[in-house]
Amino acid sequence: MRAITKVQVLLSRRSGSTAIDNNAWHGRNVPAGMLLALATIAGARADDIETTLVAETRLEIPAPNDRRISRLVPAATLQQGQEIFYTVRIRNSGNGAARDVEVVQRIPENTTYVADSAAGPGAEVSLSADGGATFGKEGQLTVTEQPTPVHTPLTRPATPQDYTHVRWRLRNPLAPGAVALARFRAVFR
């Protein structure tokens, strides 16, 4: 069984620019591929939007009367097949409302997206199966595979294993000091 320990559960970054390269963080002691979200906005300065990624796992605790209580705890150790609950906190630290906020989060490496798990109250959610180049609704994306030897490429519906990025577009302006939460789940492999 594969396990990873000392998972960094909290990453934070002011967007500073609309061109943060998530791939620049790859291989830099960011366990399980947890990468920063890319945020683009209108109506406020780009460096006023802060994104924070939190990774948690579910812990079941015995309770009286043969019951169990579940709670989310920081992901300290991951085991193969374990589900990870990711929360992207989107905070407007500026003095003006941020309109048209869009946040893109790469699905961490060594994980597989859990179908229908991406959510964000007041947000339009879409996914990518091509490294973040294009986005669409879950279940409506396709993947083109090049068979070997080279024949006609095959196009098939994308599966959760194919998804590479999640995008949230906030429908409403984000007030100064306000925080929006976006979530998704993935399974460690």
Side-chain angles (χ1 to χ4, degrees), residues 20-147:
I20 298 170
D21 181 3
N22 280 342
N23 292 323
W25 290 92
H26 179 68
R28 292 201 181 158
N29 198 25
V30 182
M34 284 182 260
L35 300 172
L36 303 176
L38 166 65
T40 61
I41 61 165
R45 293 183 1 195
D47 60 354
D48 288 341
I49 296 296
E50 300 172 356
T51 57
T52 306
L53 178 65
V54 178
E56 299 172 302
T57 57
R58 180 174 290 168
L59 176 66
E60 291 201 12
I61 303 166
N65 301 326
D66 294 326
R67 297 181 60 203
R68 299 188 71 75
I69 298 172
S70 292
R71 63 175 52 148
L72 293 178
V73 298
T77 302
L78 299 175
Q79 303 222 351
Q80 195 169 21
Q82 187 171 16
E83 190 171 66
I84 308 158
F85 296 77
Y86 290 101
T87 302
V88 179
R89 292 186 46 170
I90 307 157
R91 181 176 179 270
N92 180 359
S93 62
N95 295 324
R99 294 181 308 280
D100 303 321
V101 176
E102 179 179 294
V103 175
V104 176
Q105 174 63 52
R106 182 174 176 198
I107 296 170
E109 291 185 26
N110 301 320
T111 68
T112 299
Y113 172 77
V114 173
D116 299 316
S117 69
E124 176 187 316
V125 180
S126 55
L127 292 124
S128 176
D130 60 7
T134 60
F135 287 85
K137 296 287 183 196
E138 190 166 346
Q140 296 178 353
L141 297 171
T142 59
V143 174
T144 302
E145 297 176 337
Q146 187 66 42

Side-chain angles (χ1 to χ4, degrees), residues 136 185 188:
R185 298 187 326 265
F188 184 64

Side-chain angles (χ1 to χ4, degrees), residues 165-184:
H165 293 75
V166 182
R167 178 177 69 188
W168 297 269
R169 285 186 173 161
L170 303 186
R171 291 186 187 110
N172 301 309
L174 192 59
V179 174
L181 300 177
R183 295 188 164 99
F184 70 99

